Amino acid sequence: MEWGIVYSAEINRRQPALLMLLVDQSFSMSEPAGQGQGTKADVLALAVNNLLGNAVLLCSRGGERIYNYFEVGVVGYGAKIGPILHGADADRRVLPVSELAENPRRVDAVTRRVPMVRAASSR
C-alpha cells in the first residue's frame, strides 16, 4: 500500500520537534477502565506521564543536563478547553522539555513487577 510522501526532518536543539497531546477530560473519563486499572482518567494519566518521562529521557545524555530536542504542549478538553501542562498557561501553551524535567508537579514512586530471568546452567 502506498502512503504518498513521507515527511521527515532532523530534530536538534536549533530545530526541536513539537510534541502536542490532546487529552479528554470529559465526564466519561471517570468511568472504570476495566480489570482493576482504575478509571479511564487514571489510565490516560499514566500513559501521558510515561510518554513525557520517556521524552525527557530521550533528551538526556547520561548526565543531569536535558537538551531541548522537544517542545511539549498538553491541551485538555471537556467542560473547558485549554493548556493543562504544569507550568503552561494561555500565554505560554508550549514548554521546552527541560522545563518539564526541572519542574515536575509531583514525583511518584511506582513499584513494578519484573519477571526474573533464570541464567542458563552450564553442563
Side-chain angles (χ1 to χ4, degrees):
M1 174 182 274
E2 188 173 322
W3 291 93
I5 298 173
V6 176
Y7 174 80
S8 68
E10 183 177 338
I11 298 172
N12 56 47
R13 288 178 278 174
R14 290 185 314 263
Q15 188 175 330
L18 175 62
L19 178 59
M20 181 65 76
L21 304 175
L22 184 60
V23 174
D24 185 353
Q25 294 183 305
S26 66
F27 181 76
S28 66
M29 296 301 285
S30 63
E31 297 172 357
Q35 299 180 354
Q37 296 177 330
T39 65
K40 293 177 181 178
D42 295 333
V43 173
L44 178 60
L46 182 61
V48 168
N49 288 333
N50 284 337
L51 186 141
L52 295 177
N54 285 333
V56 169
L57 289 174
L58 286 170
C59 294
S60 66
R61 291 198 179 170
E64 297 279 327
R65 185 154 184 211
I66 307 297
Y67 296 92
N68 289 318
Y69 296 122
F70 296 110
E71 292 181 333
V72 182
V74 182
V75 175
Y77 68 92
K80 295 188 286 184
I81 299 173
I84 59 171
L85 186 61
H86 178 64
D89 57 33
D91 294 327
R92 194 163 173 245
R93 299 170 191 262
V94 176
L95 304 176
V97 72
S98 63
E99 193 168 324
L100 295 181
E102 294 165 5
N103 302 304
R105 176 172 281 170
R106 118 182 153 218
V107 177
D108 295 333
V110 178
T111 303
R112 296 179 190 236
R113 292 183 184 167
V114 179
M116 288 187 62
V117 177
R118 294 184 186 249
S121 61
S122 58
R123 292 184 185 211

